[in-house]
């Protein structure tokens, strides 16, 4: 077969302590998964299913532990928000997965930032339109080293935190998630097939806020190390 042009290299992620890279397929994100964050956004925490949205696979910006990543300030926003999240990496294909079997499909975990054009999201919500471009843009899926579940186990609890220029902004325990990782995987797999290389951002706790060029974000989750980025001018 001959290509019309060279296909792009698949997006991929470094894995802590391993030479192999994890190829990225799809990126799914859970909205509204911590009660206090739903309240700060003016939403109603009583829901019977999780909500999902997506980012392109090539929107990832991986930052190795111990380094300072550069996160370009995106165009078309003046309210660029961080959302610190546990990211789940899928390692096994599945559809209609039952919660008890869901963790068999999870190969690893990482610290992530679901970067958001909050002004564009608000405008889209007000217009009852899609908020795709508030969430799915270049470098919007920031992620740290992937840690394999075989090494760190499956995370049910642990402190997630974020500081900006040394000031604490987000702090919560993973056990405060409304939809646990097994429930997220089970629900998502009712809507779409999940497959190796899919990432799932599992939602952010309260304390989201805006950042400007020059500011430094430091995110961490117990057991997964940390992620440091500086917002840089476009
Ligand atoms: Mn989010």
């Amino acid at each position: 077969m001959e290509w019309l042009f060279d296909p792009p290299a698949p997006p991929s992620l470094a894995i802590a302590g391993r030479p192999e890279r994890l190829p990225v397929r799809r990126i799914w994100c859970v909205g509204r998964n911590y009660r206090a964050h739903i309240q700060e956004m003016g939403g109603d925490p009583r829901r019977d299913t999780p909500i999902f949205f997506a980012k392109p696979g090539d929107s990832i910006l991986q930052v190795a532990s111990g380094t300072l990543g550069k996160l370009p300030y995106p165009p078309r926003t003046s309210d660029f928000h961080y959302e610190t999240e546990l990211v789940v990496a899928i390692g096994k294909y599945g559809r209609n997965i039952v919660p008890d079997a869901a963790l068999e499909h999870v190969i690893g975990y990482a610290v992530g930032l679901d970067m958001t054009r909050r002004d564009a999201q608000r405008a889209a919500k007000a217009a009852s339109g899609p908020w795709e471009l508030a969430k799915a843009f270049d470098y919007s899926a920031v992620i740290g080293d992937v840690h394999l579940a075989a090494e760190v186990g499956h995370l049910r609890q642990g402190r997630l935190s974020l500081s900006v220029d040394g000031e604490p902004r987000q702090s919560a325990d993973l056990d405060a998630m409304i939809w646990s990782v097994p429930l997220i995987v089970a629900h998502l797999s009712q809507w779409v097939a999940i497959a190796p290389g899919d990432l799932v951002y599992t939602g952010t706790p309260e304390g989201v806020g805006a950042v400007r060029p020059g500011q430094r974000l430091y995110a961490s989750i117990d057991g997964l190390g940390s992620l440091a980025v500086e917002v840089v001018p476009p």
Side-chain angles (χ1 to χ4, degrees):
M1 183 175 59
E2 216 171 311
W3 300 109
L4 182 61
F5 50 84
D6 290 338
S12 68
L13 296 171
I15 303 168
R18 294 281 289 256
E20 307 94 331
R21 294 183 68 84
L22 184 130
V24 173
R25 181 175 175 259
R26 298 170 173 170
I27 303 176
W28 295 102
C29 306
V30 179
R32 303 176 193 148
N33 202 23
Y34 291 80
R35 269 182 191 81
H37 171 62
I38 297 169
Q39 283 155 354
E40 77 179 348
M41 297 293 291
D44 181 349
R46 292 164 299 172
R47 295 185 65 87
D48 53 4
T49 58
I51 61 163
F52 293 100
F53 59 92
K55 293 176 186 270
D58 64 0
S59 64
I60 51 171
L61 172 66
Q62 192 179 28
V63 182
S65 180
T67 69
L68 178 66
K70 302 276 186 205
L71 172 60
Y73 197 96
R76 304 291 304 226
T77 185
S78 53
D79 199 17
F80 184 40
H81 273 214
Y82 55 78
E83 296 187 356
T84 311
E85 312 198 359
L86 172 68
V87 185
V88 171
I90 300 298
K92 181 183 167 189
Y93 178 90
R95 297 172 59 219
N96 297 316
I97 297 161
V98 295
D100 282 350
L103 291 180
E104 296 166 20
H105 297 261
V106 174
I107 200 171
Y109 297 91
V111 185
L113 297 170
D114 162 17
M115 299 306 297
T116 303
R117 290 170 167 137
R118 191 71 72 202
D119 41 4
Q121 187 187 32
R122 270 195 215 99
K125 282 180 179 173
S128 298
W131 27 276
E132 198 77 11
L133 293 174
K135 288 290 194 178
F137 54 91
D138 301 333
Y139 314 113
S140 64
V142 184
I143 188 167
D145 294 335
V146 174
H147 294 262
L148 296 180
E151 316 234 327
V152 297
H154 287 287
L155 276 64
R156 293 175 180 82
Q157 55 193 41
R159 180 67 29 187
L160 170 156
S161 61
L162 174 92
S163 63
V164 178
D165 290 342
E167 298 265 320
R169 296 286 187 87
Q170 291 192 283
S171 179
D173 199 285
L174 298 176
D175 68 9
M177 283 196 240
I178 296 171
W179 305 97
S180 65
V181 169
L183 291 175
I184 290 168
V185 170
H187 273 278
L188 180 60
S189 74
Q190 294 174 3
W191 293 91
V192 290
I194 61 166
D198 288 349
L199 302 177
V200 186
Y201 282 64
T202 58
T204 195
E206 66 278 16
V208 301
V211 283
R212 302 178 308 275
Q215 290 192 301
R216 290 184 178 189
L217 292 77
Y218 182 88
S220 66
I221 296 177
D222 288 349
L224 301 181
S226 61
L227 160 63
V229 286
E230 180 175 331
V231 181
V232 298

